[in-house]
Amino acid sequence: MGRAPCCSKVGLHRGPWTAREDTLLTNYIQTHGEGHWRSLPKKAGLLRCGKSCRLRWMNYLRPDIKRGNISSDEEDLIIRLHSLLGNRWSLIAGRLPGRTDNEIKNYWNTHLSKRFKNQGTHHEKKSGSTREPRKRKTKNNNQNRSKANRERDHQTGVNVTKTETKIHLPKPIRITSLPRNNSLEYNTVSGSSGSHNGVTEGDINGVVGTGIVDFPWPSDLVDHQDGRDQDDFIVNGCDLGCESQLLTRENMLERLYEEYLQLLKKEEQVKEEEKEKEEEDQIQLDSFAESLWV
DNA sequence: AAAAAGCTCAACCGCTTTCTA
DNA sequence: TTAGAAAGCGGTTGAGCTTTT
């Protein structure tokens, strides 16, 4: 399969985005919506590849992005989700309203991976950024990117408030195939595709999905023949009766909190069961040893 | 005060998955 | 059925900023 030529195309801008580019992209998306990334730059008058535009929008320009410090609750959720999902950043991000996969990935790599590495727990990453700290490079670029971004934020009105909390509808997770060109219909943020590493979307929603509390995903809802759900429904998004659209901020918060509590409860249950089994095994072992002794 | 080391995060790269003709 | 295109994802890079020496 041929690889799509992307930013390697001659004549396309790369590197930090300018305020003008941000404005062009934001304006275009506000008018025409997300999607069609390939053709978007041309239509929007940008000398960028579609991939770059998509990334910029998803990770920085989206109005619903919550920037700033990760709260302890969020951190806790990230840790738990990571222990369940591994480095499935987009799925983890899907459970953290307003957070991007890139942000969570960065946060994990800079804060949490080290912590768990030191603790030697199973949270340690399977691969990837366990690399050695890089040698500092000499500064040969006069651009002050962070400053530029901050200035741009001010100009373009991007939400950079550290403490402001926004309530978002959970991101839809596509269980089955849907036409890509319908992406605008589904309020897709970073989206997600298929299942990887043996973890299905159903598993995930079984853990923390909106309104679905059983874990794992009830087997009678899953068509195991092709690994897809019976009715090709959208979890968290439109289907489920589009009820999410009717949710108030308070309901959303309540739901998220409930899901989180249920996740904790489930984990505790599992731990307890394991403990009980261990004790049982120990008793059997003891009695066996005793019988040998006699 | 200056240099070095460490941290952060936006952006890019390359691969996989999904869709379509 | 298949090849190419499009989209999405996770890993990695690197420049600016902050902290330490």
Side-chain angles (χ1 to χ4, degrees):
Chain A
M1 227 172 267
R3 188 177 170 71
C6 190
C7 303
S8 55
K9 274 189 176 173
V10 192
L12 295 183
H13 285 179
R14 295 181 62 190
W17 280 64
T18 64
R20 188 174 169 276
E21 286 177 316
D22 281 349
T23 310
L24 282 171
L25 181 58
T26 308
N27 288 345
Y28 183 87
I29 290 174
Q30 275 169 359
T31 314
H32 300 93
E34 292 177 34
H36 306 284
W37 297 109
R38 191 84 173 175
S39 56
L40 185 149
K42 208 175 177 181
K43 291 177 183 169
L46 286 159
L47 279 169
R48 293 270 182 178
C49 68
K51 222 172 176 179
S52 186
C53 293
R54 180 184 158 272
L55 215 64
R56 183 64 179 170
W57 175 254
M58 295 300 189
N59 291 334
Y60 200 84
L61 296 174
R62 266 194 298 141
D64 58 343
I65 283 182
K66 184 163 74 181
R67 308 187 74 81
N69 298 337
I70 302 265
S71 69
S72 55
D73 283 349
E74 285 176 313
E75 185 184 293
D76 200 26
L77 196 50
I78 290 169
I79 292 163
R80 288 171 188 280
L81 285 169
H82 186 269
S83 73
L84 287 164
L85 304 171
N87 297 358
R88 306 285 306 282
W89 306 117
S90 63
L91 288 176
I92 295 172
R95 304 295 149 192
L96 286 151
R99 301 292 184 187
T100 68
D101 51 356
N102 210 28
E103 190 178 13
I104 289 166
K105 180 170 65 183
N106 282 334
Y107 188 75
W108 179 271
N109 289 338
T110 54
H111 294 90
L112 303 177
S113 68
K114 267 178 266 172
R115 191 192 304 174
F116 289 114
K117 199 176 175 181
N118 291 340
Q119 286 174 13
T121 72
H122 66 292
H123 293 295
E124 192 175 342
K125 292 182 67 176
K126 294 171 203 161
S127 65
S129 47
T130 50
R131 63 200 159 98
E132 294 293 311
R134 280 174 290 112
K135 292 277 182 189
R136 185 178 180 77
K137 300 255 171 134
T138 52
K139 297 178 185 179
N140 55 3
N141 188 341
N142 291 330
Q143 282 181 321
N144 185 336
R145 198 169 37 151
S146 295
K147 196 180 171 187
N149 274 341
R150 277 196 294 271
E151 282 166 5
R152 229 175 294 144
D153 293 340
H154 187 68
Q155 287 167 18
T156 57
V158 169
N159 172 22
V160 290
T161 315
K162 293 261 177 188
T163 53
E164 186 184 352
T165 34
K166 284 187 150 199
I167 310 301
H168 304 259
L169 298 177
K171 292 179 188 176
I173 289 172
R174 193 172 62 190
I175 300 293
T176 185
S177 55
L178 289 166
R180 285 192 186 277
N181 55 10
N182 284 345
S183 59
L184 298 181
E185 294 173 30
Y186 296 101
N187 187 30
T188 301
V189 182
S190 64
S192 67
S193 56
S195 91
H196 306 269
N197 309 331
V199 181
T200 67
E201 310 290 4
D203 291 339
I204 296 137
N205 282 292
V207 181
V208 287
T210 302
I212 299 161
V213 294
D214 214 9
F215 176 75
W217 188 256
S219 57
D220 57 334
L221 285 179
V222 178
D223 176 5
H224 292 289
Q225 282 183 334
D226 63 355
R228 289 178 177 176
D229 298 289
Q230 277 176 338
D231 293 318
D232 283 352
F233 58 84
I234 306 291
V235 179
N236 285 346
C238 284
D239 289 6
L240 295 182
C242 276
E243 60 169 352
S244 57
Q245 290 177 12
L246 305 172
L247 293 174
T248 61
R249 285 168 162 242
E250 289 74 19
N251 283 340
M252 283 301 301
L253 264 181
E254 222 167 69
R255 273 197 163 188
L256 282 170
Y257 186 61
E258 269 172 22
E259 288 160 15
Y260 186 37
L261 287 179
Q262 260 146 4
L263 172 64
L264 289 174
K265 209 172 160 186
K266 194 79 204 178
E267 280 192 1
E268 271 166 24
Q269 259 178 23
V270 169
K271 274 183 194 164
E272 218 160 285
E273 277 170 21
E274 278 173 0
K275 204 178 164 188
E276 272 173 19
K277 197 172 180 305
E278 257 178 38
E279 279 169 4
E280 223 175 82
D281 289 348
Q282 191 58 46
I283 289 167
Q284 277 183 0
L285 208 70
D286 287 349
S287 61
F288 178 67
E290 229 166 86
S291 69
L292 285 176
W293 190 250
V294 174

